[in-house]
Amino acid sequence: MVVAHSARATLRVGDVFLKVDADQARIDVEVEAMSLAPVPTPEVLWRKPSVLAIAAVPGTTLGRLGGPSTGSSAGWAAAGAAIRKLHDAPLPPRPGRAGRSLVALAAELDDECTLLVSNGLLPTDLVTRNRQVAEAALRPWTPAFTHGDLQIAHVFVDGDEVTGIIDWSEAGRGDALYDLATFTLGHEEHLDDVLAGYGADVDIDIDLDVIHGWWSLRSLLAVRWLAEHGFDPFAPGCEVDVLRSRM
């Protein structure tokens, strides 16, 4: 068992991963996104109702959230270049997780901040400060082809070459900086490497504020869900430490 929660489960059998999901639409989105993405993706071996079988991709991840980076600066830059290639690709047909309505997202964030404080999960000053930082992410953006869940564990490299990007169920049109922020969450020390590979040709001061905003926003929305589903957002280097770094 690789991962299991109320939304889906992923199992590994040898070099085959079986993704079991009662939401067939989510499987359809994943297969469609992998077929359109101009970056290395897993081979789809077969699909049946509620199950998608994909082949393992070669290479290793650059690290993990809450752990040290095992990748080189060149590897992080290569990941940045691959992300830029994705973002420059023709837009997919539907919005993804990174393309949620700003009004709805702000309302969800406010509700979650209230619950974090009222349930005693996080102190008020930590939530209040990060809610202020998160405001930078809630601005108009130009749609791009986004992965939507570009965690560090979802990008595989071999040296300075990206060999595969996995888990495309949240892909679609969205904010490119959401992907960059998700990928560098908890690894701020490699943000410059990623941006060097990405070829950032925009106002870095503004973009860094937005990336910091997405770090805070994503972490605030994740803490309670993670705690309720058997994960530990309080572990060193994970979501709560990301929030503390904004203080």
Side-chain angles (χ1 to χ4, degrees):
M1 182 70 70
V2 178
V3 65
H5 49 72
S6 59
R8 69 187 335 185
T10 301
L11 304 87
R12 180 168 187 168
V13 183
D15 288 333
V16 177
F17 287 85
L18 301 177
K19 308 188 78 168
V20 183
D21 195 327
D23 186 348
Q24 183 62 41
R26 196 153 43 207
I27 291 178
D28 294 341
V29 166
E30 183 156 8
V31 172
E32 178 185 60
M34 288 192 292
S35 71
L36 295 174
V39 294
T41 62
E43 177 188 359
V44 175
L45 301 175
W46 51 265
R47 57 191 293 205
K48 296 180 179 180
S50 301
V51 182
L52 172 65
I54 60 175
V57 298
T60 58
T61 63
L62 290 164
R64 62 180 178 83
L65 182 63
S69 167
T70 55
S72 65
S73 293
W76 283 89
I83 296 169
R84 180 58 179 266
K85 188 174 183 180
L86 174 67
H87 290 167
D88 286 345
L91 293 175
R94 57 177 60 87
R97 182 171 181 80
R100 288 170 289 174
S101 157
L102 295 180
V103 173
L105 188 58
E108 180 186 358
L109 179 61
D110 287 339
D111 290 344
E112 193 62 34
C113 288
T114 298
L115 288 170
L116 288 170
V117 173
S118 63
N119 291 347
L121 274 173
L122 295 177
T124 301
D125 60 342
L126 184 65
V127 172
T128 299
R129 171 55 183 157
N130 278 277
R131 176 60 183 86
Q132 294 169 346
V133 175
E135 190 67 28
L138 301 174
R139 87 287 176 226
W141 39 266
T142 301
F145 189 156
T146 54
H147 179 280
D149 191 21
L150 201 63
Q151 303 174 42
I152 185 176
H154 292 166
V155 179
F156 288 73
V157 299
D158 183 1
D160 60 356
E161 178 184 358
V162 173
T163 55
I165 299 177
I166 66 172
D167 283 5
W168 292 81
S169 61
E170 306 286 355
R173 300 190 304 271
D175 180 5
L177 294 186
Y178 179 87
D179 273 354
L180 289 172
T182 301
F183 184 62
T184 54
L185 184 74
H187 287 282
E188 185 172 357
E189 73 277 9
H190 285 293
L191 178 58
D192 286 345
D193 295 328
V194 173
L195 291 179
Y198 190 81
D201 53 3
V202 285
D203 187 330
I204 293 298
D205 290 334
I206 294 176
D207 279 0
L208 288 180
D209 285 343
V210 174
I211 289 172
H212 295 163
W214 277 124
W215 285 341
S216 290
L217 196 156
R218 181 182 171 94
S219 297
L220 286 169
L221 291 183
V223 167
R224 189 170 60 91
W225 186 95
L226 291 168
E228 292 176 353
H229 287 79
F231 302 97
D232 186 8
F234 292 88
C238 292
E239 283 79 5
V240 175
D241 272 357
V242 171
L243 296 173
R244 290 171 178 152
S245 72
R246 297 299 107 199
M247 295 296 288

